[in-house]
Amino acid sequence: RSAMDHQPKFFENLSGTGKAIGVLTSGGDAQGMNAAVRAVVRMGIYVKAKVYFVYEGYQGMVDGGDNIVEVSWESVSSILQVGGTVIGSARCKSFRTREGRLQAAYNLVQRGITNLCVIGGDGSLTGANLFREEWSGLLEELAQKGKIDEEAVKKYAYLNIVGMVGSIDNDFCGTDMTIGTDSALHRIIEVVDAIMTTAQSHQRTFVLEVMGRHCGYLALVSALACGADWVFIPEYPPEEGWEDSMCVKLSENRARKKRLNIIIVAEGAIDCHNKPITSEKVKDLVVQRLGFDTRVTILGHVQRGGTPSAFDRILASRMGVEAVLALLEATPATPACVVSLSGNQAVRLPLMECVQMTQEVQKAMDEGRFVEAVRLRGRSFENNLNTYKLLSHKKPDAELPKTNFNVAVLNVGAPAAGMNAAVRAAVRVGITEGHKMFAVIDGFEGFARGKIKEISWGDVGGWTGQGGSILGTKRTLPAKYLEKIADQMRTNNINALMVIGGFEAYLGLLELSAAREKYDEFCVPMVMVPATVSNNVPGSDFSIGADTALNTITDTCDRIKQSASGTKRRVFLFIIETMGGYCGYLANMGALAAGADAAYIFEEQFDIRELQANVEHLTEKMKTSIQRGLVLRNENCNENYTTDFIYQLYSEEGKGVFDCRKNVLGHMQQGGAPSPFDRNFGTKISAKAMQWISKKLKETYRKGKVFANTDDSVCLLGMRRRNLVFQPVAELKNETDFVHRIPKEQWWLKLRPLMKILAKYKTSYDVSDSGQLEHVAMHSPKEAETGAI
């Protein structure tokens, strides 16, 4: 960026006065569309623009009349937790004709709408772009026919378009996750978890068919997340003779005492001759060749339904706000753009570049260039596929390399959902790389007591879906057991350590590396994978378990809001306490996902004046049609303003206006089955950590022993913005506030203003990060290794 760009850019300086924005949802529905609609409406009104709903997609735009309506702040209240789209979506034939688009243009000009926010799939976005290109021609034609005057032609000369991709298939190039994908995975995983228990009882094989006509993302990620035996996707057809290898694999698994088999088929699955592979065909094959009791379950539209996950609500809210910013900054010269997420970063991309790349994938598949198709899908897809291949098939012992290295895995800190998926991935990748894997029971304390045993490929089968920590975990730090742990490392000849855990794991590795001077046993490669619901580990934007906890909080808030809406003539305010230690991640993101009015966190100090302002704000709100409030409070945000204090303050100040209730969520935030994100994140990050261990073992093996005593041999693997990075724990010391056990800088604090804007608070919002239009990058095969998630 040039020197000019270094001044921070604040959105308060962008005004929407005199602008009108139309928002529509088009194509297949997806969970989270409503969150996007809500964000666009509220952000639009916030910057003083007029916002219009266009009902029933393009059909409503063509029909006009009551289908295009100006909306208010309250119009989008209570839609955040609703699946599908409340403004409707329809397939529209007439918009495909020029007459249809002419009528649509007329309807928009009548209302002065020259900014459109389109939420839909690639078809809907392509249509929008065509509309934009024809716009001036359409206005000329309307003027010739005398429907509008020359004044209007000049005044409304340009149409600006910003797209958001709402599609459960995640089939759009240029964006890591489309709105609805995560929720669809939630539905699939709920079903798989339920099916596993019945399949287990009867020793059955289940063939599950999931959506994805042209894209195998849902099938691939759900196969990764549930440890399926086999998966069929359109981008990566099985090799010739797959029937034999699949049956061999299934019978081997049965021989290993595995009582069930799960096979996942994308509805668009094909073989290498482009012939469809259907779920029925797979079932018949298994029955004929193996005689296994086999059932088919077709998930169908279940995947599109239900409430959006926390991830989708936050994603859609971020995208909606970004879309309005993009419209405010658009000039006649700006191409139509798509707002999307790359890693953890909001980006804007030229709409047509994304569409062209998406069509390239289809073309590659049609022409049988499957390697190319996988590459075009992007880093994250390729990574998923490689990880799945690594973990699903055990090579025969004869084919495995033998390294003679022993690697130990342990869990440290409080339990977090997804830890077991991480252990499974570590064990299986370790075995594939030729190491002997050891499991340590009960953290560092168990290690000191010699609770350590070899663990095999089959021992970790079925672990991905289990919550908590199967190995057992303790918060104890290693400092007081150094002697005993060193003994155990020597006795079991442990050459590397992989620690999966929270802040204690990080402190533990700091202590072990400090003890290297005294004990040679600790001069081995060590790596930490962050796993804690608090998401308070330095060096990583996300930690395993935080997404599951966030979903628990969001679900609970939904239920609580619902309980209030059933009570007539009484207005409720709910105060909810979340976990997180001193880290406000859960409270802040939970507030964003649940549509809360305020979130009190330690990182942003607040005083009695702020509390007073919140009370007044809520009292004003309760006078409108929205008659309930929700406030989240992090457990350690302030030692004096406790949950009870805030509850009593609100109760007193709200007398006669609203009743207060309080709820402490407690340990339910640590429990439960891991969400698809946590299973997937845990699996991929842990597999990567294990590959790093192998690399370090080779580098540090000298004269018959492993000796590693440099800082870069004790690392934490974290997700940073767009990449997975290994960072020496010693270097992370400067980034850590050890007293409060949080990183000094936290990326999600940038999203705080978002929550406030959507709750109608005046705030400052630094948008320096957004606004740069990027290009869709074709990544080189080399780059896939640097690791997008």
Side-chain angles (χ1 to χ4, degrees), residues 322-521:
E322 184 71 24
V324 174
L325 290 175
L327 286 171
L328 292 182
E329 293 180 20
T331 64
T334 346
C337 77
V338 176
V339 289
S340 90
L341 205 61
S342 169
N344 193 18
Q345 181 70 27
V347 291
R348 295 180 197 172
L349 302 161
L351 187 143
M352 286 322 286
E353 278 185 29
C354 299
V355 169
Q356 274 149 2
M357 187 129 140
T358 305
Q359 289 163 352
E360 284 291 311
V361 182
Q362 193 50 49
K363 202 171 151 218
M365 289 182 341
D366 294 341
E367 292 170 10
R369 300 189 320 250
F370 294 108
V371 176
E372 181 72 356
V374 168
R375 199 168 69 87
L376 286 165
R377 275 273 180 245
R379 293 197 298 181
S380 127
F381 190 89
E382 199 166 3
N383 245 351
N384 282 322
L385 187 58
N386 294 337
T387 312
Y388 176 77
K389 288 194 276 193
L390 259 182
L391 298 175
S392 60
H393 304 295
K394 181 180 193 288
K395 290 188 177 143
D397 290 344
E399 286 177 33
L400 288 175
K402 278 280 174 286
T403 61
N404 295 324
F405 291 131
N406 296 343
V407 181
V409 182
L410 66 160
N411 290 163
V412 176
M419 276 183 161
N420 300 320
V423 173
R424 168 185 177 265
V427 168
R428 291 197 167 177
V429 173
I431 290 170
T432 308
E433 307 255 318
H435 314 317
K436 221 182 198 178
M437 296 301 299
F438 287 82
V440 177
I441 313 298
D442 296 338
F444 288 120
E445 197 175 309
F447 208 164
R449 295 196 182 141
K451 291 181 166 178
I452 178 169
K453 59 173 200 291
E454 194 182 339
I455 186 164
S456 71
W457 181 281
D459 291 340
V460 291
W463 277 29
T464 46
Q466 306 282 329
S469 160
I470 297 174
L471 293 184
T473 180
K474 281 260 194 311
R475 288 173 179 261
T476 328
L477 293 172
K480 53 180 179 184
Y481 299 116
L482 290 172
E483 184 82 41
K484 289 179 171 169
I485 294 176
D487 282 349
Q488 289 299 329
M489 301 255 311
R490 197 171 48 253
T491 314
N492 294 287
N493 190 19
I494 301 297
N495 309 112
L497 270 190
M498 172 148 163
V499 184
I500 300 164
F503 203 84
E504 286 86 2
Y506 165 64
L507 294 175
L509 282 194
L510 286 173
E511 291 180 359
L512 291 180
S513 61
R516 279 176 161 181
E517 292 169 27
K518 198 172 165 195
Y519 301 99
D520 271 3
E521 288 82 359

Side-chain angles (χ1 to χ4, degrees), residues 541-583:
D541 288 0
F542 294 117
S543 58
I544 299 165
D547 183 70
T548 305
L550 206 49
N551 275 297
T552 304
I553 293 168
T554 311
D555 285 349
T556 311
C557 289
D558 285 354
R559 291 184 178 198
I560 287 171
K561 277 163 81 170
Q562 181 115 51
S563 76
S565 62
T567 323
K568 288 288 165 279
R569 291 192 302 282
R570 284 178 76 186
V571 182
F572 282 106
L573 168 71
F574 290 96
I575 296 156
I576 292 172
E577 180 186 306
T578 67
M579 277 183 159
Y582 284 94
C583 176

Side-chain angles (χ1 to χ4, degrees), residues 580-624:
Y582 284 94
C583 176
Y585 179 81
L586 290 179
N588 188 66
M589 301 308 257
L592 194 54
D597 296 284
Y600 297 115
I601 59 173
F602 169 76
E603 292 88 347
E604 196 174 281
Q605 289 298 302
F606 55 98
D607 57 18
I608 196 73
R609 282 180 294 279
E610 180 135 351
L611 289 169
Q612 178 67 29
N614 289 154
V615 172
E616 286 164 11
H617 186 95
L618 274 163
T619 316
E620 278 308 297
K621 171 183 160 175
M622 302 293 195
K623 290 177 185 162
T624 67

Side-chain angles (χ1 to χ4, degrees), residues 132-167:
R132 176 178 170 277
E133 284 169 355
E134 290 182 350
W135 183 257
S136 50
L138 292 170
L139 294 199
E140 290 293 331
E141 193 176 324
L142 287 169
Q144 277 161 11
K145 292 187 173 168
K147 286 196 159 185
I148 60 173
D149 53 25
E150 285 301 327
E151 186 60 30
V153 177
K154 282 200 192 76
K155 191 175 173 190
Y156 304 123
Y158 300 102
L159 177 68
N160 291 318
I161 285 189
V162 172
M164 278 184 269
V165 191
S167 147

Side-chain angles (χ1 to χ4, degrees), residues 54 130 147 261 275 304 369 391 433 452-453 458 503 522 542 566 590 632 641 693 712 721 781:
V54 179
L130 175 65
K147 286 196 159 185
N261 307 105
K275 297 263 185 306
R304 284 231 166 121
R369 300 189 320 250
L391 298 175
E433 307 255 318
I452 178 169
K453 59 173 200 291
F503 203 84
F522 299 139
F542 294 117
L632 271 66
Y641 298 147
I693 283 183
D712 69 355
R721 280 179 100 140

